[in-house]
Amino acid sequence: LFDKWSQTIVSNESSEIIQMLNSEFDEYATSPDIDLEPKDLREAMQSVDSWIYPNLNNGVYRCGFAQTQEAYDVAIDELTAAFDRVEDILSRQRFIAGDQFTLSDIRLFVTLLRFDEVYVVYFKTNTRSVANSAVLMNYCRDIYQMARVAETVDMHQIKEHYFCSHPDLNKLSIVPRGPNFERMLKERHNRDDLGIKRPKFSVSDDEKSPPPSEASVLSSI
């Protein structure tokens, strides 16, 4: 995040930037009443963030850039346990910190979004798959189908960025075709069965998601 007026870097940490975008620019926002860091859920958010970040968000990188088998084994064990823990929580509640969509869901979603298309292949996180988890697949669909989310997802850009950025991991920059995860995201989800209303900024069931080929916001986190 760069301040053009002072010509100063404000932050390059995505978790800090999304907090700033949530509250510091309300005077310019089209929906300033939306708060993705509600006070009554902050403790729960901090709790899940504390283990999801090192073991899942950063865990995929710990697996992919491990320099020894021992380091990889530790990382993949911790990632697998975190994946299963997330799956268990989301089998009982609609969102990761409770019954409301929060910044913690954004942090989790952007990792799950890349998981099958990129991390399973590129970073060797193949002990688990989002597509093979009905709970996490439907959780991702629920978020993807919220208003204005799909237009931030550019899977082509995501895959080209990863598979063509690290010569040590992919010398010839060949991009694998993958399972077409984005097509799966467009299928109907079952998260309404949890009996919790969708956030008020979601699209209705009969609305179409915006086209996914536009410039990315969420996919750049």
Side-chain angles (χ1 to χ4, degrees):
L1 186 63
F2 187 79
D3 185 339
K4 293 194 297 183
W5 288 100
S6 62
Q7 293 293 297
T8 302
I9 296 173
V10 178
S11 176
N12 68 344
E13 172 52 53
S14 58
S15 62
E16 295 177 355
I17 293 171
I18 61 174
Q19 286 181 304
M20 296 174 193
L21 293 176
N22 179 63
S23 59
E24 299 303 318
F25 300 94
D26 285 352
E27 62 182 297
Y28 307 106
T30 56
S31 302
D33 55 319
I34 295 175
D35 182 10
L36 300 184
E37 194 179 19
K39 290 182 179 180
D40 61 326
L41 288 179
R42 285 180 186 174
E43 184 175 347
M45 292 171 64
Q46 291 171 358
S47 176
V48 294
D49 291 345
S50 69
W51 56 269
I52 288 176
Y53 174 76
N55 299 315
L56 203 54
N57 298 135
N58 193 49
V60 294
Y61 294 97
R62 292 171 55 212
C63 291
F65 292 104
Q67 297 296 300
T68 65
Q69 185 66 50
E70 291 75 15
Y72 169 79
D73 288 340
V74 170
I76 193 64
D77 284 347
E78 293 177 352
L79 179 142
T80 303
F83 191 102
D84 291 346
R85 188 175 176 185
V86 164
E87 185 178 42
D88 177 63
I89 291 171
L90 291 171
S91 70
R92 294 179 278 108
Q93 61 193 45
R94 189 157 190 173
F95 300 109
I96 194 61
D99 63 357
Q100 185 174 340
F101 180 72
T102 66
L103 295 178
S104 295
D105 292 289
I106 293 178
R107 293 169 59 140
L108 176 58
F109 173 72
V110 294
T111 293
L112 296 179
L113 176 69
R114 296 163 168 79
F115 202 87
D116 288 20
E117 291 277 15
V118 176
Y119 301 142
V120 166
V121 178
Y122 203 44
F123 289 167
K124 309 177 186 71
T125 64
N126 59 350
T127 58
R128 294 292 184 270
S129 163
V130 174
N132 289 337
S133 167
V135 170
L136 296 186
M137 190 72 244
N138 280 287
Y139 169 77
C140 289
R141 286 172 179 150
D142 192 7
I143 296 175
Y144 179 86
Q145 293 170 24
M146 291 178 185
R148 306 307 300 274
V149 173
E151 67 186 274
T152 74
V153 176
D154 186 342
M155 192 62 72
H156 176 76
Q157 184 275 332
I158 289 171
K159 293 174 68 172
E160 282 210 339
H161 165 71
Y162 276 94
F163 287 106
C164 301
S165 294
H166 312 101
D168 289 345
L169 297 182
N170 192 15
K171 182 179 180 180
L172 300 179
S173 296
I174 295 172
V175 180
R177 184 166 298 172
N180 199 346
F181 189 73
E182 196 165 1
R183 175 184 56 79
M184 301 179 199
L185 291 173
K186 297 176 183 179
E187 299 174 11
R188 184 177 292 274
H189 66 81
N190 66 0
R191 302 297 284 175
D192 291 318
D193 296 343
L194 292 176
I196 301 168
K197 292 182 179 180
R198 300 188 69 176
K200 59 185 177 181
F201 49 92
S202 301
V203 295
S204 61
D205 289 335
D206 58 352
E207 284 186 272
K208 294 181 179 180
S209 297
S213 59
E214 296 178 26
S216 171
V217 176
L218 287 182
S219 63
S220 65
I221 298 177

